[in-house]
Amino acid sequence: MSAVPHPLPTPQEPVGHPELVQLGTALKGDEPCLRADAARNRARLLEAAGRLVAERGAEAVTMEAVAAEARVGKGTVFRRFGDRTGLLTALLDHSEKKFQASFLGGPPPLGPGAPPVERLRAFGRAMLRRSAEDLELQLAAEPCASRRFTNPARSVLRHHVVMLLRQAAPDADCELLAHALMGQLDPALIHHLTKQCGLPMARLEDAWTDLVDRVTGTAPTR
């Protein structure tokens, strides 16, 4: 996956809708039948990985296990996804694109059309709910430290927060503040608070709203 972050958007510049990197995508110029075969093989491998997650949990998803489940050579899995993180990220691809579509072009307050503070509140709450649904898989797909903050999907989320902060709090250091806000939405922290500390998700959602309101100096609409 690319380690080059997307350019930071300005308040007037709408965030684009980049696709998640798919390491198994065929190269331009390949024969159509080869591209079709590659797509079928990729779908077959993802189906196998999905079965492993459903039956044994995300920890059971290794390159070797997926190859055995799909009855292909291990090298085929590496060629399609690069490494285990790439494979798990591909499994999250559909829900990631669906979430991106909701905050980039969906209805307000998550999508365009609502004031920036309302969109920030809705964004964090939606991310928390999404993490609750895919938490085990998100934890297993966590990039290594050197790629954690350059991961393309994560960069899109952070840059969206930067854009909204620039509209809501233009005098703040919005780039660093976005990192601080995103820290509260980190899957590892969500796991710790909900699974190890037993906090209800509703408390995390309320804490996000409170944090946004304090950072932007606004009060929630009653």
Side-chain angles (χ1 to χ4, degrees):
M1 298 177 70
S2 174
V4 179
H6 296 276
L8 290 173
T10 63
Q12 295 78 25
E13 177 187 359
V15 179
H17 193 170
E19 299 290 339
L20 294 184
V21 174
Q22 297 180 350
L23 298 180
T25 303
L27 297 176
K28 183 177 181 181
D30 287 349
E31 292 296 328
C33 62
L34 294 180
R35 290 200 299 271
D37 287 344
R40 283 194 294 270
N41 288 338
R42 186 175 188 277
R44 180 182 174 187
L45 293 171
L46 288 175
E47 288 173 4
R51 287 196 299 271
L52 289 174
V53 172
E55 295 170 3
R56 299 183 233 167
E59 291 302 318
V61 179
T62 65
M63 307 300 265
E64 294 81 2
V66 170
E69 180 73 16
R71 298 182 179 180
V72 299
K74 184 171 66 174
T76 300
V77 187
F78 278 98
R79 284 193 298 273
R80 289 288 172 263
F81 302 104
D83 56 19
R84 182 173 183 268
T85 297
L87 170 61
L88 293 169
T89 299
L91 279 175
L92 285 169
D93 183 71
H94 176 71
S95 64
E96 183 66 41
K97 288 179 179 177
K98 183 178 178 181
F99 182 60
Q100 287 180 11
S102 68
F103 68 76
L104 291 174
L110 183 56
V117 173
E118 288 187 25
R119 294 190 69 190
L120 270 174
R121 294 179 191 137
F123 174 82
R125 287 176 173 268
M127 267 204 72
L128 287 166
R129 289 191 290 268
R130 175 175 175 263
S131 291
E133 295 173 357
D134 293 326
L135 188 55
E136 183 181 356
L137 191 54
Q138 286 192 25
L139 289 173
E142 277 288 289
C144 63
S146 63
R147 297 193 306 182
R148 187 173 188 187
F149 297 103
T150 57
N151 175 278
R154 184 166 297 186
S155 294
V156 171
L157 301 176
R158 186 176 64 253
H159 294 161
H160 180 67
V161 172
V162 170
M163 182 190 70
L164 295 177
L165 282 172
R166 285 176 173 166
Q167 296 173 2
D171 295 334
D173 187 338
C174 296
E175 294 178 24
L176 289 182
L177 195 56
H179 280 286
L181 286 174
M182 290 296 293
Q184 190 162 333
L185 304 175
D186 182 76
L189 178 61
I190 295 170
H191 177 268
H192 169 68
L193 293 176
T194 59
K195 305 300 183 182
Q196 297 177 327
C197 298
L199 300 185
M201 185 59 67
R203 183 173 173 184
L204 271 63
E205 292 182 20
D206 290 343
W208 169 263
T209 298
D210 181 63
L211 178 61
V212 168
D213 292 340
R214 291 176 187 275
V215 164
T216 58
T218 57
T221 303
R222 300 296 183 184

